[in-house]
Amino acid sequence: MTNLFSPTQLGDITLANRIVMAPMTRSRSPGGVPNALNAEYYAQRATAGLIITEGTAPAALGAGYPHIPALFDARHVAGWRAVADAVHAKGGRIVVQLMHTGRIAHEEVLGAAPVGASAIAAPGQIFTGTAMRDHSTPRALTGAQIEEVIAQYATAARLAREAGLDGVEIHGANGYLPNQFLAPNVNDRTDQWGGSIENRARFLLAATDAAVAAIGAGRVGVRLSPGNPFNDIADPDAPATYAHVMRELAKRNLAYLHVMNVQPGFDVPALVRTNYQGQVILNGGYDRARAEADLAAGIAAIAFGVPFIANPDLPARLASSLALAAPDKATFYGGDARGYTDYPAAA
Ligand SMILES: Cc1cc2nc3c(=O)[nH]c(=O)nc-3n(C[C@H](O)[C@H](O)[C@H](O)COP(=O)(O)O)c2cc1C
């Protein structure tokens, strides 16, 4: 019987169960290089069927938040190799989420102005490591620069495999660079990268295709957040935009499509059912009962985010219907082992 504890196959990646750890930025990799503490954190959570790492910058200009990890040079590869080895030693599987933050950044963190689809600053503020500051106004990428960024996704995917990671997830959700291209309120380009839905979707699809060309479709997933306004995303025609994106992604035979099901009034399962034929991971506020119901309806796996922070042994706790520990929000981002690797497994 298919339930959360039955194995499944996502492209080339075999999962021992259908409980996926959702990507979560923890800002504990100073200098962008994954360290021993990060390896311990992920190894503690290796009983997930699949770990999707925190958002990881495929390029220096993609690292808009302080202390997030990166993946574009040999130091990053060495750091990620230790993480991958630690997870694999415990029998887990792990893909790295490639997150280019685009305009969600501050030049104090980047050392340069951020880049974006268009020169439209995000409202609101961002933490720079010392203070909250207004988001910097991005430079609109030129056509040639767009091609360079797309090539950076390919390089990051190749380096992920060099590090022994099982694959990559292209972060197309939550208002970061690919979502900035997708959204008409952030992208006012008049070239082939803006305007129509086809043009706005081109960057996400090209970044996906670049990763696929580098490491094979069976090791590439994509994350989307249809209808989610996070980071000032607004698309009056989101159902049509995401129907197009999903239909295009469906042609690519990817490992999986990972969709955030968080927007009230937005029927994500129906959108997926109508437009995407491959393996799907859903995420957003799930408990065991809701997860099992979605699996029964044909969803491949469910990603759990916050529950994994304070419950490193989440699959065992779900299996035994144990109470879940509550996380300390004050230690979500940055800091040390406290609120990170010091949550115990159930006795
Ligand atoms: C501390 C924290 C950091 C997050 N960082 C990321 C991230 O780097 N990439 C991403 O796609 N989503 C990120 N998210 C969103 C989670 O992946 C997930 O979608 C969200 O927490 C809802 O799922 P849940 O109800 O199971 O926690 C983050 C969430 C939290 C709480």
Side-chain angles (χ1 to χ4, degrees):
M1 193 188 104
T2 295
N3 65 23
L4 275 175
F5 308 96
S6 59
T8 192
Q9 190 74 26
L10 301 181
D12 295 347
I13 308 169
T14 304
L15 278 59
N17 61 59
R18 294 161 189 258
I19 300 165
V20 172
M21 180 176 167
M24 283 182 291
T25 294
R26 303 302 307 274
S27 299
R28 283 172 170 86
S29 304
V33 179
N35 53 48
L37 187 65
N38 305 151
E40 182 186 352
Y41 165 75
Y42 284 115
Q44 287 174 342
R45 288 155 180 80
T47 57
L50 177 67
I51 292 170
I52 304 169
T53 72
E54 62 209 279
T56 297
L61 283 174
Y65 296 111
H67 309 317
I68 67 169
L71 184 48
F72 54 83
D73 71 23
R75 291 171 319 139
H76 306 137
V77 172
W80 280 117
R81 185 173 296 122
V83 174
D85 287 351
V87 170
H88 290 154
K90 295 261 187 86
R93 297 284 181 271
I94 178 168
V95 299
V96 60
Q97 186 187 54
L98 299 181
M99 172 172 82
H100 194 307
T101 49
R103 71 176 190 152
I104 304 301
H106 195 278
E107 51 198 41
E108 267 175 28
V109 174
L110 296 179
V115 298
S118 297
I120 302 172
Q125 297 196 313
I126 187 163
F127 185 61
T128 63
T130 51
M132 294 300 293
R133 302 285 300 274
D134 291 349
H135 289 105
S136 301
T137 300
R139 295 176 276 137
L141 289 161
T142 65
Q145 288 167 341
I146 289 173
E147 299 294 351
E148 282 170 28
V149 177
I150 289 166
Q152 289 167 338
Y153 280 91
T155 302
R158 185 173 52 72
L159 294 179
R161 293 292 291 148
E162 228 176 274
L165 295 158
D166 295 296
V168 303
E169 174 174 289
I170 306 294
H171 193 353
N174 293 349
Y176 299 106
L177 188 62
N179 200 359
Q180 292 162 27
F181 273 91
L182 260 186
N185 68 317
V186 186
N187 177 350
D188 64 7
R189 303 181 71 95
T190 54
D191 60 7
Q192 60 167 324
W193 305 100
S196 65
I197 289 176
E198 288 74 12
N199 283 356
R200 284 185 277 117
R202 197 178 306 282
F203 180 83
L204 170 64
L205 296 173
T208 303
D209 288 341
V212 165
I215 64 172
R219 295 193 179 275
V220 176
V222 172
R223 188 175 219 209
L224 302 173
S225 54
N228 185 355
F230 188 67
N231 280 327
D232 184 47
I233 292 299
D235 182 350
D237 207 9
T241 300
Y242 284 94
H244 170 74
V245 170
M246 288 180 188
R247 276 190 242 119
E248 280 300 316
L249 291 174
K251 296 176 188 167
R252 287 160 167 83
N253 209 16
L254 301 174
Y256 65 84
L257 176 65
H258 181 186
V259 192
M260 288 171 65
N261 186 8
V262 293
Q263 202 43 36
F266 209 92
D267 192 347
V268 163
L271 193 67
V272 168
R273 236 181 352 261
T274 314
N275 299 294
Y276 193 81
Q277 289 76 40
Q279 295 279 67
V280 171
I281 303 172
L282 292 183
N283 161 257
Y286 276 84
D287 58 15
R288 180 173 172 177
R290 193 171 147 231
E292 296 287 9
D294 279 8
L295 293 186
I299 296 301
I302 300 295
F304 295 83
V306 172
F308 260 112
I309 290 182
N311 301 276
D313 56 342
L314 182 66
R317 294 200 200 201
L318 292 176
S320 305
S321 300
L322 298 178
L324 299 187
D328 171 19
K329 287 194 177 154
T331 50
F332 274 10
Y333 303 103
D336 50 24
R338 272 168 302 166
Y340 189 54
T341 50
D342 61 353
Y343 291 109

